[in-house]
Structures are given as structure tokens and as C-alpha cells.
Amino acid sequence: PDVIIEAQFDDNDAEHGQDYLQDTLTDDIKKLSLDTDEKGKAAGLTGVHRTKQDDGPKVNDPRLLPDEFLQRTAKVVYILEKKHSRAATGFIKLLADRNSELFKRCAMFSPVDHRVPRVYVPLADCPPDFVTKPEAYSQMLFICRIVDWKEDNNFASGQLCKSLGQAGEIEPESEGILTEYGVDFSDFSPEVLECLPQNLPWVISPGELAKRRDLR
């Protein structure tokens, strides 16, 4: 009862089923119990008696547990590549502490995606009347790009890039999603448009139809 084993259920265990995992845990607990009982008997033979405070042998050393029941830990040492665009869609609001120096310089950006941290943005990037009329922008979507995040700060630092429009409308919401994922939705260049047929309406010629497989 004094031995606690922490197990992690992974794909290998899923192949055998939950019963297999339960049987494995039971077998290992029995082994540990036998080991501790044998040690207790050996201690009794040598004349060492347990007191009431010593209610039984405990396994506090994780090295005595099987490797499959240990939780591996690690630490990030280097970022190889930044996969996120560092852009997020969200709302801006005034800081709660109106007496702080930060209140005079920054606003708080709250991303819609909760996986992205909240961001301090300069008031200079906000609309001119945002400080006097913050409620007018409570449902306005903005695009913010994270530029820095210091280790000793709970919030990142960023810049407001663009005002998208009213939250809940299709066009602002769609543009925000495309910007977050780094999708280029700008107009095609003239070079690309020149590749398209110029004589409209355009139809496929009979010779071209003869070479194609009709999937209509």
C-alpha cells in the first residue's frame, strides 16, 4: 500500500488493450511487495526491530521502479525553426491598472486563439480615440504580430498591424484566419494573369478534347 506506481498509457498499450496494462501493473506491484517483504524478514533475522512509527518499507527511489512506469522529462534548449506566423486575431482593451506607467504607453491585446499569449501593444498603434472610447472597439477585430517575449514577463510584446472589422462578420473573420496561418490572399500579379486566355469566352478546341480524357 505504500508503493505508488505512475503509468503512462501509450499506443503500444493500446495494441494489447486495457486488460494487458492492468495485468502488467499488478505483476510489478506484486514483485515490489515481495522484494520489500523479503527485506523486512532479513532485517528481523538480524535483530533489527521496527517501531510503531516505522509502518513498513517504502520505495522512494525512482530508480527501483521499472523504466516503463517513469515519466521522462526534458528541457527546450534551442528553437530550430519558428513555425507560427506570430500573427493573431483578437481584441484590444485598456489595462486594468490605470495608475501604472504601463497604462500610459500600452494596451492589452487578447487573441481569439487561447493558445497564443496575451500581448502588450503600444497605444500609438491603436485608434486615436481608443483611450477615450474603448467600448467602441470592444467588438472590433485586430491583427497583432508578436515581436518579442522576454523571459521575465508574463505577456509578449507586439504591434497592431491592421483593423479587420466587426467580429462575427464573414470577411473579417476569414481574413484573420488566413493571416494567422500565413496564407497569401493578395491579388494575382499581372505576370500570372497573362498566362490566362485573353480571348473570352474561351472554349476547349476539338483537337484538345481529342487528347483529353473526359471525366464529366
Side-chain angles (χ1 to χ4, degrees):
D2 298 320
V3 179
I4 299 175
I5 297 179
E6 181 178 352
Q8 180 176 358
F9 185 78
D10 54 20
D11 294 337
N12 295 329
D13 298 324
E15 295 178 0
H16 301 284
Q18 185 69 21
D19 294 338
Y20 171 80
L21 178 62
Q22 184 67 31
D23 294 341
T24 305
L25 281 171
T26 305
D27 293 341
D28 285 309
I29 292 175
K30 288 180 180 178
K31 291 178 183 179
L32 288 173
S33 299
L34 290 175
D35 292 341
T36 53
D37 288 340
E38 290 176 359
K39 292 179 182 178
K41 293 178 181 178
L45 292 175
T46 55
V48 178
H49 301 284
R50 290 199 294 261
T51 62
K52 290 184 179 180
Q53 288 78 9
D54 186 11
D55 55 357
K58 292 183 174 63
V59 180
N60 294 324
D61 191 351
R63 291 175 297 181
L64 299 178
L65 297 175
D67 291 341
E68 59 265 26
F69 299 126
L70 296 179
Q71 177 65 52
R72 290 175 173 83
T73 59
K75 182 175 70 172
V76 177
V77 295
Y78 187 73
I79 298 176
L80 290 176
E81 182 182 359
K82 296 180 180 180
K83 301 293 289 186
H84 195 272
S85 64
R86 299 300 190 271
T89 306
F91 305 93
I92 56 174
K93 58 183 179 180
L94 295 174
L95 299 182
D97 189 1
R98 294 177 175 270
N99 297 323
S100 64
E101 286 294 325
L102 198 60
F103 179 85
K104 302 176 182 178
R105 297 184 290 106
C106 297
M108 178 63 70
F109 175 82
S110 298
V112 175
D113 188 349
H114 297 291
R115 296 173 298 178
V116 181
R118 285 181 288 178
V119 186
Y120 285 136
V121 294
L123 284 178
D125 295 346
C126 300
D129 58 343
F130 169 68
V131 177
T132 56
K133 299 179 180 179
E135 64 280 354
Y137 300 93
S138 60
Q139 296 299 318
M140 188 74 66
L141 282 176
F142 290 87
I143 287 289
C144 175
R145 191 172 297 275
I146 297 175
V147 296
D148 189 21
W149 194 359
K150 297 181 180 179
E151 296 181 359
D152 57 348
N153 202 326
N154 293 330
F155 306 110
S157 301
Q159 294 178 344
L160 285 184
C161 300
K162 186 179 180 181
S163 173
L164 296 178
Q166 197 73 14
E169 297 181 0
I170 294 179
E171 291 185 3
E173 297 280 359
S174 301
E175 184 177 347
I177 294 174
L178 294 173
T179 304
E180 286 181 358
Y181 286 93
V183 179
D184 184 8
F185 56 93
S186 59
D187 295 335
F188 289 108
S189 64
E191 291 78 9
V192 174
L193 296 178
E194 287 177 1
C195 299
L196 300 176
Q198 303 300 319
N199 297 325
L200 302 177
W202 179 77
V203 293
I204 302 176
S205 63
E208 185 68 25
L209 277 175
K211 297 186 295 182
R212 296 190 180 193
R213 181 180 177 184
D214 195 347
L215 298 176
R216 291 174 294 182

